[in-house]
């Protein structure tokens, strides 16, 4: 959601999704995550975790993150349940990139509308997410500035890779 926050703050139209079967958040130990179904309001998740252990979930950054998220949107949404048609999809983990590509392949491409899927690999921690926010804004600006994204995407990704340390993946699929 840091990417959503940074891009929205910079004025881009952003919609964010998860790709797993549920929302998994850190719990009191690695083998005890907090699991919520997609669609559970961020406010409800925030209140429940705040009641469980406010010290733990503040110290690990979860409550501040949920507070930010509930300002951005009502609840987490699942990509596979989305009917949205986008020009560009940016993922932040290879497993999410794979899930989006797989899902689009199963949809069959009946509209014959291309979509560029770009993965910017970001380690799942607050510090890395903040650093990656700048890289995401640079990528979005380059994409938005392209006259023909299909002709420009390779060069945009090459420049992005030279400028930022995040590894990139790219695929084209169809809605």
């Amino acid at each position: 959601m840091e990417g959503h926050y940074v891009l929205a703050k910079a004025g881009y139209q952003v919609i964010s999704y998860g790709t797993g079967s549920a929302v998994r958040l850190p719990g009191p130990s690695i083998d005890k995550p907090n699991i919520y179904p997609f669609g559970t309001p961020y406010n409800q998740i925030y209140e429940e975790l705040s009641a469980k252990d406010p010290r733990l979930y503040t110290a690990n950054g979860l409550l501040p993150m949920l507070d930010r998220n509930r300002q951005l949107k009502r609840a987490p949404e699942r990509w596979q349940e989305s009917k949205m048609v986008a020009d560009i999809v940016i993922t932040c983990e290879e497993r999410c990139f794979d899930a989006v590509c797989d899902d689009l392949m199963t949809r069959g491409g009946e509209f014959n509308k291309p979509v560029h899927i770009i993965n910017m690999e970001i380690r799942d921690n607050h510090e890395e997410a903040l650093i990656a926010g700048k890289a995401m804004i640079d990528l979005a600006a380059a994409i938005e500035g392209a006259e023909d994204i299909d002709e420009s995407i390779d060069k945009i990704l090459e420049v992005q890779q030279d400028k930022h340390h995040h590894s990139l993946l790219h695929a084209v699929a169809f809605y």
Side-chain angles (χ1 to χ4, degrees):
M1 286 290 293
E2 182 66 21
H4 182 132
Y5 172 73
V6 169
L7 289 170
K9 189 175 174 186
Y12 293 98
Q13 180 183 356
V14 182
I15 301 167
S16 56
Y17 299 96
T19 58
S21 58
V23 178
R24 288 175 176 74
L25 300 171
S29 65
I30 195 142
D31 62 331
K32 294 181 182 170
N34 292 290
I35 301 173
Y36 293 91
F38 281 100
T40 304
Y42 281 117
N43 201 48
Q44 179 183 333
I45 298 170
Y46 181 94
E47 295 301 328
E48 286 179 17
L49 296 181
S50 188
K52 274 186 186 178
D53 191 338
R55 199 172 67 83
L56 169 66
Y57 295 121
T58 298
N60 73 4
L62 197 51
L63 288 179
M65 179 192 77
L66 290 167
D67 189 41
R68 178 205 61 208
N69 292 359
R70 66 185 179 170
Q71 306 305 315
L72 294 172
K73 60 190 282 186
R74 183 183 161 280
E77 300 169 270
R78 188 167 186 254
W79 166 267
Q80 293 87 339
E81 297 167 1
S82 164
K83 302 297 181 219
M84 170 58 94
V85 175
D87 297 319
I88 306 289
V89 174
I90 300 173
T91 61
C92 301
E93 291 180 66
E94 189 170 350
R95 70 171 181 79
C96 295
F97 176 83
D98 292 343
V100 168
C101 290
D102 290 347
D103 178 65
L104 286 169
M105 292 302 231
T106 63
R107 291 186 190 195
E110 64 188 70
F111 301 123
N112 200 32
K113 180 179 182 331
V115 56
H116 290 272
I117 307 143
I118 302 166
N119 184 68
M120 180 183 294
E121 193 65 29
I122 302 170
R123 275 180 269 136
D124 193 10
N125 64 57
H126 185 66
E127 297 77 25
E128 182 66 18
L130 291 175
I131 293 166
K134 170 71 171 122
M136 273 199 183
I137 290 174
D138 288 349
L139 177 60
I143 289 168
E144 187 175 63
E147 280 188 38
D148 181 342
I149 190 63
D150 297 322
E151 292 293 323
S152 305
I153 192 68
D154 290 337
K155 183 65 177 168
I156 289 170
L157 295 176
E158 182 183 320
V159 168
Q160 181 77 13
Q161 191 68 69
D162 290 344
K163 191 173 182 180
H164 300 283
H165 74 277
H166 304 95
S167 64
L168 301 173
L169 296 172
H170 172 250
V172 177
F174 290 86
Y175 283 103

